[in-house]
Amino acid sequence: MTIPRRSWRAAGTLAAAAVVGLSGAVLTAGPAAAHTPTWDVTCDEVSLHLTQYNAGVTNEVTVTVDGKDLLPTETFGKEFDKTIALPDHDQPLTVRLVVKAGDGERYSKDDTKQAPVCEKTTPPATPTPTPTETKPSETPTTASPSPSDTPSESASPSAPAAATPSPSSPDLAETGSSSATPIIGGAAVAVLLAGGGIMWSVRKRRTAQH
């Protein structure tokens, strides 16, 4: 059985159309599945991780906080990765992410998250050192000079006077140490004689009175 050439051509055309159709479906589904807009919001920052976008078109990303620009509109290609600090706040903030894909609105993203208030951590109190009692340094005492011995009012006993030789004692031999020894001896003899004369006179008067 002979198949006409026209039938072969028609079959080939249908097969080619099917291949092109499948390729188009794969290419169309590829970018749609590849867009990955990931982002995270904490109390103090916003993290953006936009990957697998179409690098052949212009993509845009914008971040706002309570309607004010936190990240003005920026363009990117295949991916965009950035971390942005949030302003200080004492109330929750509304953070909005807007991603516009250049290859179709179906790949764009518009999402909103809340940024909570950061908990304030109180630093541990530094223990106050207990003041130690500082003992005053001992002041060296200056020894006061002891009062000098008060001289006794009574005069110290004078040296003993030279002993007068008694009348009965014999004259001491002159040693040559003093030339006044003979004079003293003569005076003593004269005193003895005078005393003897006085005693004789007194006795004589008493005898005459009786």
Side-chain angles (χ1 to χ4, degrees):
M1 177 177 167
T2 304
I3 300 175
R5 289 184 177 180
R6 291 181 178 179
S7 299
W8 282 105
R9 290 179 180 177
T13 302
L14 291 175
V19 170
V20 171
L22 290 174
S23 299
V26 171
L27 292 175
T28 304
H35 293 73
T36 309
T38 303
W39 72 307
D40 188 32
V41 177
T42 63
C43 70
D44 57 355
E45 64 182 17
V46 178
S47 301
L48 304 175
H49 305 284
L50 312 177
T51 60
Q52 300 300 321
Y53 278 78
N54 189 350
V57 297
T58 301
N59 305 299
E60 295 180 352
V61 57
T62 305
V63 179
T64 60
V65 176
D66 289 345
K68 299 179 181 179
D69 285 343
L70 179 66
L71 174 67
T73 302
E74 289 191 16
T75 59
F76 66 98
K78 184 178 180 180
E79 58 185 22
F80 184 86
D81 192 2
K82 194 170 187 178
T83 300
I84 311 166
L86 287 170
D88 294 336
H89 54 281
D90 55 4
Q91 294 181 352
L93 300 176
T94 300
V95 184
R96 182 184 178 189
L97 170 68
V98 177
V99 180
K100 292 183 179 180
D103 51 357
E105 287 296 327
R106 63 184 180 278
Y107 307 130
S108 298
K109 185 178 182 64
D110 190 339
D111 194 10
T112 301
K113 293 185 179 182
Q114 291 288 328
V117 179
C118 295
E119 295 181 359
K120 295 182 179 179
T121 56
T122 304
T126 304
T128 305
T130 305
T132 57
E133 296 182 0
T134 305
K135 295 183 178 180
S137 58
E138 297 181 358
T139 304
T141 56
T142 305
S144 56
S146 57
S148 59
D149 295 336
T150 304
S152 58
E153 297 180 358
S154 59
S156 57
S158 57
T164 303
S166 59
S168 59
S169 60
D171 295 338
L172 297 177
E174 184 177 356
T175 59
S177 61
S178 177
S179 60
T181 302
I183 298 174
I184 294 173
V189 173
V191 170
L192 292 176
L193 293 176
I198 292 170
M199 291 296 294
W200 182 79
S201 299
V202 171
R203 288 180 179 178
K204 187 175 180 180
R205 288 179 180 179
R206 289 180 179 179
T207 304
Q209 288 177 358
H210 289 292

